[in-house]
Amino acid sequence: MRLTVGPISAAEHLAFVRTQRSVSFLQTPAWGRVKTQWRSESLGWYDAGRLVGAGLVLHRPVPRMERFTLAYLPEGPVIDWTGEIDPWLDPLASYLKAHGAFAIRLGPPVRTNAWSADQVKEGIADPGIKRLTELSRQWADPVGARVTSRLTDAGWLPQSPEDGFGVGHPQYKYEIPLAGRTEDDVFRGMNQLWRRNIRKAAREGVEVTVAADVKAFHDLYVHTAERDRFTPRPLRYFDTMFAALSAEDPERIRLYLARHRGDLVAATVLVRVGEHAWYSYGASSTEKREVRGSNACQWAMIRDSLAAGCDVYDLRGITPTLDADDPHVGLVQFKVGTGGRAVRYVGEWDLPLRPMVYRAFDLYMKRRGRHGAS
């Protein structure tokens, strides 16, 4: 197989995405229009003139060396990762280097390990276990192991930090498998607290609607950020995100609003590409937390994902900690209550194309990190 890589139009890229069962929304043409601070392009892999792979590349210039860029393919590219990967990645590197990239960063959408909810709960209860990777029983994907080995042999450098969170996208996620399951199956798979909270929201009269009121969501999101001490994204970011993703596909992004007697108590954002659905953002009020609006929103999104024929409901990132004294373990416990599984992916990897420029960029990012920039 001799593959070539070249630019494709957004229409060609989207048509290819629609032939795939699962593609990250970060690899859709629309995502390039969301990331306004990056230059984006769609690339295609051709085999004898036939389009067989695609990727969204986000280009980030180097400070004071703007002619060079970091070429970033978040949760991509969309290629066949099950066989030899050099025939796919070598022409990508040649094309990007010729067009000014000093390095490539990518995140193969390939799992390496998975742990059931019961295994995770047992690990949290065991004081001798501190991380997911220390659990004795786990499902391992030979494809993920092979991709990791091939990337290492080809000189790619792993970028995923030990705690699972860094400047890129998380290596560890929490997912609820939906394929072949009914609403009752999924509901029974949740723990007692989740089931009780969903029932309580219904008894309290919480109403969940799908709406387009991004401003209402953002107001609640800013309130959540102040309470939970994180830096919120500006309203214009969400306006751009909803406009771009909706224009690409009217079913791509949906906003869920939970109200109790007229008061907005929770709001969540669902993104779907093919048979993969993501819980993308969430917000909740400090008042009326007892009516469990957030659980009602989650259950509405899970039910709609099932109705849409999705294979996976993706709760996004977690850290790999199972240490009961680690403050991050609360997020793990919350997601474990859904009854899904913790999943480890191959993670993000860099290939330096111009080593001197890459070292300068790496030094700049480390200094920036020490000064608390994001």
Side-chain angles (χ1 to χ4, degrees):
M1 181 174 62
R2 183 168 177 79
L3 299 169
T4 58
V5 169
I8 57 176
S9 68
E12 290 173 306
H13 188 174
L14 181 58
F16 181 80
V17 165
R18 286 175 172 157
T19 68
Q20 306 298 301
R21 192 158 185 87
S22 177
V23 172
S24 171
F25 66 93
L26 307 176
Q27 280 295 299
T28 62
W31 194 248
R33 295 190 287 276
V34 176
K35 307 306 286 184
T36 55
Q37 295 180 329
W38 302 60
R39 177 173 64 83
S40 65
E41 69 173 328
S42 293
L43 295 182
W45 279 256
Y46 288 92
D47 181 13
R50 185 170 61 94
L51 186 64
V52 292
L56 177 74
V57 184
L58 302 174
H59 290 276
R60 178 177 184 167
V62 183
R64 296 186 295 279
M65 289 185 285
E66 278 71 16
R67 64 194 180 98
F68 296 121
T69 64
L70 172 67
Y72 184 30
L73 293 89
E75 297 187 2
V78 185
I79 58 175
D80 181 5
W81 292 96
T82 61
E84 292 299 320
I85 62 174
D86 289 349
W88 296 89
L89 299 184
D90 289 350
L92 174 68
S94 298
Y95 173 87
L96 289 172
K97 184 174 183 179
H99 288 79
F102 70 86
I104 308 170
R105 175 169 297 168
L106 50 74
V110 179
R111 300 177 179 93
T112 61
N113 306 90
W115 300 266
S116 70
D118 286 342
Q119 288 173 305
V120 177
K121 285 186 283 189
E122 289 170 9
I124 294 171
D126 186 340
I129 293 177
K130 303 298 183 184
R131 294 172 61 85
L132 281 168
T133 49
E134 295 172 13
L135 291 170
S136 58
R137 293 179 295 115
Q138 57 185 274
W139 172 82
D141 189 332
V143 174
R146 189 164 58 248
V147 168
T148 299
S149 175
R150 295 289 192 273
L151 288 171
T152 302
D153 292 345
W156 291 77
L157 307 173
Q159 298 302 304
S160 299
E162 281 293 306
D163 66 2
F165 283 122
V167 294
H169 292 277
Q171 182 177 16
Y172 293 84
K173 301 179 184 178
Y174 206 84
E175 301 173 351
I176 306 175
L178 300 181
R181 303 177 76 193
T182 65
E183 280 186 23
D184 286 345
D185 293 335
V186 176
F187 189 75
R188 285 197 301 268
M190 294 178 173
N191 69 11
Q192 187 177 15
L193 181 61
W194 264 83
R195 295 196 303 268
R196 186 165 64 233
N197 287 344
I198 290 169
R199 291 187 180 114
K200 183 171 186 181
R203 283 198 310 272
E204 294 283 352
V206 173
E207 296 181 349
V208 180
T209 58
V210 176
D213 194 346
V214 180
K215 178 64 165 59
F217 159 75
H218 190 260
D219 288 346
L220 191 61
Y221 166 74
V222 169
H223 165 80
T224 305
E226 291 171 351
R227 182 189 68 220
D228 296 346
R229 298 180 181 177
F230 65 87
T231 303
R233 292 187 181 275
L235 175 59
R236 66 179 179 276
Y237 178 86
F238 291 101
D239 283 337
T240 301
M241 182 178 177
F242 273 83
L245 297 188
S246 296
E248 185 171 273
D249 186 327
E251 296 298 315
R252 180 76 80 233
I253 186 167
R254 303 177 90 182
L255 173 61
Y256 290 72
L257 301 176
R259 288 189 168 88
H260 179 257
R261 298 176 183 171
D263 297 324
L264 184 62
V265 294
T268 50
V269 177
L270 178 75
V271 179
R272 179 166 66 86
V273 182
E275 281 68 46
H276 199 126
W278 292 265
Y279 161 48
S280 188
Y281 285 94
S284 62
S285 65
T286 304
E287 301 296 320
K288 293 191 172 183
R289 298 189 81 170
E290 72 280 359
V291 302
R292 303 301 176 185
S294 293
N295 295 93
C297 277
Q298 289 289 346
W299 183 230
M301 293 197 298
I302 291 169
R303 292 175 69 193
D304 285 354
S305 299
L306 275 164
C310 289
D311 294 334
V312 176
Y313 180 78
D314 193 328
L315 285 151
R316 300 293 285 168
I318 57 172
T319 63
T321 184
L322 297 179
D323 184 350
D325 294 328
D326 187 326
H328 290 116
V329 82
L331 178 65
V332 178
Q333 289 172 313
F334 171 76
K335 294 182 179 182
V336 164
T338 64
R341 62 187 181 190
V343 181
R344 182 189 187 197
Y345 281 77
V346 168
E348 295 196 326
W349 295 71
D350 282 6
L351 180 67
L353 302 174
R354 291 177 168 86
M356 288 183 65
V357 181
Y358 180 79
R359 282 196 292 272
F361 173 78
D362 192 43
L363 184 61
Y364 165 78
M365 292 302 293
K366 286 175 180 173
R367 285 175 176 167
R368 192 168 175 250
R370 282 200 298 269
H371 288 87
S374 60

